[in-house]
Amino acid sequence: MSTIYGLFTGSHSPCVTLMKDGEIVFSIEEERLTRIKAGDYYDEQAELSIRKAKMVTGIDFHEADYRIVAEPVPDEWVRSISKGSYEKVSHHTAHAYGAYFTSGFEGKVITVTYDGGGDTTLMKIFLCEDGQMNEIKRGFFPAFGSLSHLWGFATSSMKGYDGYGEGIWKMCKDEGKLMGMAPDGHYDEKIYNTLSSLVNYDEFRFYPSATASKVQFVLDMMYIQGYFDTQKKMEIFCFNLQKLANNLMLRLMEDLHKQFPEYTKLCFAGGLFANVKLNQKINELDWVNEVYIFPPMGDEGLSIGSCIYKAVQIGEIKKPFKLKNVFFGTKYSNEFISQISK
């Protein structure tokens, strides 16, 4: 039996998890302590989370039996808190282990991860069964394109930039505003074709490659040309962005079904799957039996996924389990709340 610390740090959404004897005993995201949303502050370390984890559990990071960090890793800082001894796990592998092993699913399952890029990949796909995971596809960065780049840069371009060159609306924070506006728009062939020229899909590949810089340039030009200067125009743009995301990801799902028709359960993780409308469309496919989205689907879930990956390696987790709840962070008594509210 062992203690495992999982960590993701040095980027947006830094987080820390402690697992003991195969059970999650504490998990927290840095923004819960700084009170600064992840999209408002990048490249931060999980310093407060590490301290809080020790305060709550009594176990310092370097004292755990295993320390595992999701890539990309700021090695110098991690060495300083681990006394030099730690392991690494691929960004998307951590996403996938978190999703599959907390799903509670039995039998054949496909796990898909997708985001704007972690270490060397934008996407991974695994065939899973009875606690075994077999990677079958991956989208290499920057050889693949990413729908997440479209959502992120559309978010930061839509309201323009402040005096420091930061988007008024922030990627990794405000994308939900675009999703919320989409139902009030309508199809626009020019906008849809522009977006599909930036990211498209065919036979398990999203293309063209290295989409980030191209997407940012085009969306900034759309802002300058007035595509977002009224509420209605923003709604029309968002409708077409959502439509493209739905269409491309549904094509990916259908390609998976053609190759693996016996797999009717799906697990998802990665920031793209914060899009509930996309998840709904996938769930409505007639061949899909069950869909599970890892609750912390973005990078804030990587510390949990890292712990689970290590626990599976050492045999403390053997098959998927269901989360009883997601209350793994700090808690406060009524007496404490009464004291600080006086």
Side-chain angles (χ1 to χ4, degrees):
M1 311 301 279
S2 63
T3 53
I4 304 169
Y5 257 117
L7 174 65
F8 180 64
T9 190
S11 181
H12 65 85
S13 311
C15 49
V16 173
T17 298
L18 178 66
M19 179 173 279
K20 187 174 182 180
D21 302 337
E23 298 281 342
I24 302 167
V25 297
F26 184 77
S27 186
I28 197 165
E29 186 181 357
E30 189 77 357
E31 71 167 40
R32 306 306 298 168
L33 302 170
T34 63
R35 315 306 294 173
I36 301 173
K37 287 290 185 181
D40 288 327
Y41 189 40
Y42 288 84
D43 302 321
E44 61 180 327
Q45 311 297 3
E47 295 181 0
L48 298 180
S49 298
I50 289 287
R51 291 182 212 163
K52 181 63 74 171
K54 180 182 179 181
M55 184 186 304
V56 172
T57 67
I59 301 172
D60 206 342
F61 189 78
H62 72 271
E63 296 172 338
D65 296 312
Y66 302 97
R67 292 155 295 281
I68 185 159
V69 189
E71 293 183 309
V73 180
D75 288 290
E76 183 175 353
W77 187 79
V78 176
R79 278 195 295 269
S80 73
I81 64 167
S82 64
K83 311 299 184 184
S85 175
Y86 60 93
E87 303 171 58
K88 301 179 184 181
V89 58
S90 164
H91 187 97
H92 279 269
T93 297
H95 272 316
Y97 271 73
Y100 173 58
F101 278 97
T102 63
S103 69
F105 285 170
E106 298 180 353
K108 298 181 184 297
V109 179
I110 295 177
T111 298
V112 180
T113 69
Y114 196 108
D115 63 17
D119 38 25
T120 61
T121 51
L122 298 162
M123 176 188 79
K124 283 189 177 181
I125 302 175
F126 294 78
L127 295 184
C128 312
E129 186 172 7
D130 300 330
Q132 301 297 313
M133 299 183 70
N134 177 34
E135 182 186 324
I136 58 166
K137 306 283 183 184
R138 65 168 61 184
F140 283 103
F141 180 81
F144 264 48
S146 176
L147 277 168
S148 296
H149 292 159
L150 267 183
W151 281 94
F153 286 111
T155 300
S156 59
S157 296
M158 185 155 286
K159 286 291 186 177
Y161 299 90
D162 63 21
Y164 299 97
E166 296 284 340
I168 303 299
W169 284 358
K170 304 293 195 309
M171 67 173 68
C172 300
K173 175 175 176 279
D174 293 318
E175 286 88 344
K177 295 175 181 177
L178 278 63
M179 186 182 66
M181 287 190 289
D184 294 318
H186 58 75
Y187 177 69
D188 182 288
E189 184 177 11
K190 183 178 180 180
I191 293 175
Y192 187 89
N193 289 342
T194 298
L195 295 176
S196 64
S197 74
L198 294 171
V199 181
N200 215 315
Y201 168 83
D202 188 47
E203 295 183 349
F204 297 105
R205 180 174 178 267
F206 290 83
Y207 65 91
S209 62
T211 45
S213 59
K214 302 169 191 175
V215 166
Q216 183 177 19
F217 175 79
V218 170
L219 291 172
D220 282 349
M221 289 302 100
M222 293 181 78
Y223 170 81
I224 291 170
Q225 293 169 10
Y227 278 84
F228 311 139
D229 61 5
T230 69
Q231 178 70 22
K232 193 64 201 177
K233 287 183 178 180
M234 289 191 291
E235 292 167 356
I236 294 168
F237 174 88
C238 293
F239 177 94
N240 289 276
L241 175 60
Q242 183 71 58
K243 181 177 178 65
L244 179 67
N246 293 348
N247 289 347
L248 299 190
M249 291 303 292
L250 289 174
R251 283 161 57 187
L252 170 63
M253 295 301 124
E254 292 294 356
D255 283 349
L256 284 169
H257 182 55
K258 288 175 185 176
Q259 281 203 14
F260 310 103
E262 69 275 27
Y263 287 77
T264 61
K265 298 177 183 179
L266 302 172
C267 292
F268 297 133
L272 184 69
F273 295 108
N275 191 307
V276 295
K277 188 64 175 180
L278 170 61
N279 298 339
Q280 178 188 2
K281 290 293 185 181
I282 295 171
N283 190 49
E284 290 171 350
L285 292 170
D286 59 8
W287 57 267
V288 172
N289 185 19
E290 291 185 85
V291 171
Y292 172 75
I293 295 91
F294 188 37
M297 73 290 293
D299 288 358
E300 68 280 355
L302 286 171
S303 62
I304 297 176
S306 298
C307 279
I308 290 173
Y309 174 80
K310 189 62 188 178
V312 171
Q313 269 194 333
I314 62 178
E316 290 188 349
I317 295 177
K318 299 183 185 299
K319 62 180 182 179
F321 59 93
K322 285 187 176 182
L323 292 174
K324 298 175 183 177
N325 59 65
V326 291
F327 305 124
F328 299 125
T330 51
K331 57 185 177 182
Y332 306 97
S333 67
N334 290 332
E335 292 76 14
F336 177 81
I337 295 170
S338 296
Q339 287 175 2
I340 66 171
S341 62
K342 288 180 180 178

